[in-house]
Amino acid sequence: MSTAKAAPWVAVSERSSSLSPAPERRPAEGPNERGRRGSRAWRGAGWREPFGCVEAVAGGCGQPPLCFAVRSDLVGAVVGRGGSKIREIQSTTNTKIQIIKGDPKAEVKIFGNKPMQTKAKTMIDNFIKEQENYSPQYRVDIVAFQPSVGRDVSTNHNEDLPLINWDKIREDALKWGKKKWADLPPIRKNFYVESATTRAMSQLQVDNWRKENYNITCDDLKNGEKRPIPNPTCKFEDAFQCYPEVMENIKRAGFQKPTPIQSQAWPVVLQGIDLIGVAQTGTGKTLSYLMPGFIHLNSQPVAGGKRNGPGMLVLTPTRELALQVEAECSKYSYKSLRSVCIYGGGDRNGQIQNVSKGVDIIIATPGRLNDLQMNNFVCLKSVTYLVLDEADKMLDMGFEPQITKILLDVRPDRQTIMTSATWPCAVRRLAQSYLKEPMIVYVGSLDLVAVSTVKQDVIITTEEEKRAHIQAFLENMSPTDKVIVFVSRKAVADHLSSDLILRQLSVESLHGDREQSDREKALENFKQGKVRILIATDLASRGLDVHDITHVYNYDFPRNIEEYVHRVGRTGRAGRTGMSISLITRNNWSIATELIHILERANQSIPEELVSMAERYRANKLKREVEKKIGRLQGKPQKFY
Ligand code: AMP
């Protein structure tokens, strides 16, 4: 390391100009830009603290540091964005790492005990190897996107690169897949014993029952010859007669009969068939997959203790839903199965510890689970029962890449259940990729239908008048009322709640910018009725399961009609009735027609002003289309931006 400077990089004067904090927001970047920023980042001030103080925090103080050199251009790959990788190495190995800048090589010193030093070095070597492997491909991409005009053909090194043999890659992937899953125990999937009553149902009885239960529909999506659709289990005993502990749990909960989705989902899932359940929260969909999941888990040939990982994995879009599913898991706990909740924003180390203690069921949001999986804190090879809960919302939130990565490590012959409130193309595509020959059960029509137990009121108003409306409503609430007020943005949630607090109203707020612990506290206070007004963004529009919400107040109307249906579904739950009030301004006119459809189908009254708003919007749209056409015909110059 002849040219290396003696002092740690953080103190190197040559770098002092780059020691100012990195700007918080950066414009969108291409791969080139990202590469350059990587090298800037490892000189940034944000780094100073974790790697500068090397004194004896790490175990093995008396041990001399492990020193070695790395190419300076690869240091960024070791450090990671904002120091993420090096921090990860330090926390995983309990070492402290110092990087002393030099040209062409930097010196790395690892402080800690000997085995951990070696482990940290291996991790560093792996990051470097990854970067070196990635680089040639990276260069090809850049060359491929260069405009050809003016490019000097003689300097095009593309020709030197060997052609990619896709057939070989596919063949290897197949071989590798077989090897990866070779030594796994078989999965037991079929636990269904049809009761005499269910078997004895005539087709007419089945049809009538489905019709009377929100028009349940069930279909077999298997190609070729179709399997018989099982009769619904109209009573709990029809599904779980052979599982007395499950029956006890249900009795303890005081449920009267299966919900529509449960009655049709249970006989499918208990047979080991993959299922797509199109149903909203509040319909009992969680227990429709949890109960059969418990039985599945407890009946596998390899007992929980020997499994070396979870047997059931539930992926959910939000922390709130994950916590809720976990609560249901614990409430109906079966044979002491252990469940753990893993979600972003929560205590990462605590979650790692919980998982490492041994776990049967993981309920997780995809981002955090992917993080723990990539860092080898959790092994998903033992999962035999997988649930993708609220798949549509997970896709909306952009979780598809994480889901893809997670599922690479889940054995392909597992049983998979997917729930979704809607059934758009993206969700169908996901189902096609991850479910095998599934059946689909949907409750009600596949179109959007808001819950019929909710009276839906619409008030046409202006942005300026909204405050007066909500204040009047909240000040007139009865002591037993509980309302969730939906707003469009976090800032509105903050402003509105502080405004209301100043008016001596006790409110809580729930949005993505609040600390997770504050969010949990707010929700708990609302659930327990300590606070009866919750101001929330759409974070709470799904999954939130508070039985006694009497009113949903749409202070800001949601961006799309699906979200409206989800919001409305927060009230009128578990057999109760509820009311929703929506403030509509001119800004929302594009949604008026769809809202009218929803109101019509739920037999709600439709204000005249909403109808004329929809008509005005349609007329305006038509006018603009005509103008556009005329403009084109007259050859108006087009605008180029
Ligand atoms: P979910 O759709 O899973 O969010 O469920 C909504 C609520 O319904 C949960 O609190 C469940 O405990 C409750 N629930 C589930 N199954 C039933 C049932 N068969 N009868 C009454 N309530 C139920």
Side-chain angles (χ1 to χ4, degrees), residues 535-547:
I535 317 281
T537 58
D538 275 326
L539 185 79
S541 73
R542 298 199 196 187
L544 187 78
D545 181 27
V546 181
H547 292 272

Side-chain angles (χ1 to χ4, degrees), residues 236 255 257-259 262 280-287 328 332 545 547 573:
F236 291 116
F255 297 151
K257 60 173 193 149
T259 64
Q262 290 167 352
Q280 302 187 12
T281 42
T283 54
K285 70 174 174 55
T286 314
L287 290 187
E328 297 264 295
Y332 303 105
D545 181 27
H547 292 272
R573 293 165 75 79

Side-chain angles (χ1 to χ4, degrees), residues 342-395:
I342 290 177
Y343 50 90
D347 168 16
R348 186 173 181 269
N349 284 336
Q351 291 171 4
I352 292 170
Q353 273 172 16
N354 277 341
V355 174
S356 57
K357 278 185 206 154
V359 60
D360 301 294
I361 303 167
I362 288 186
I363 301 129
T365 52
R368 174 57 61 86
L369 181 66
N370 186 221
D371 161 17
L372 299 197
Q373 172 199 25
M374 302 288 274
N375 289 300
N376 293 325
F377 291 117
V378 56
C379 172
L380 301 174
K381 262 179 115 174
S382 51
V383 171
T384 54
Y385 191 89
L386 169 77
V387 181
L388 304 172
D389 201 358
E390 296 201 354
D392 52 346
K393 178 92 174 176
M394 285 202 275
L395 292 183

Side-chain angles (χ1 to χ4, degrees), residues 453-465:
T453 49
V454 181
K455 181 174 183 308
Q456 301 170 56
D457 262 13
V458 170
I459 302 173
I460 311 291
T461 182
T462 60
E463 288 297 327
E464 294 72 31
E465 284 172 358

Side-chain angles (χ1 to χ4, degrees), residues 235-248:
K235 292 194 181 131
F236 291 116
E237 304 83 62
D238 293 331
F240 303 116
Q241 53 182 352
C242 306
Y243 305 97
E245 283 183 47
V246 174
M247 284 305 299
E248 260 172 47

Side-chain angles (χ1 to χ4, degrees), residues 133-150:
N133 289 343
Y134 176 67
S135 296
Q137 168 73 45
Y138 176 60
R139 279 200 302 272
V140 172
D141 285 349
I142 294 168
V143 174
F145 284 104
Q146 297 294 326
S148 56
V149 184

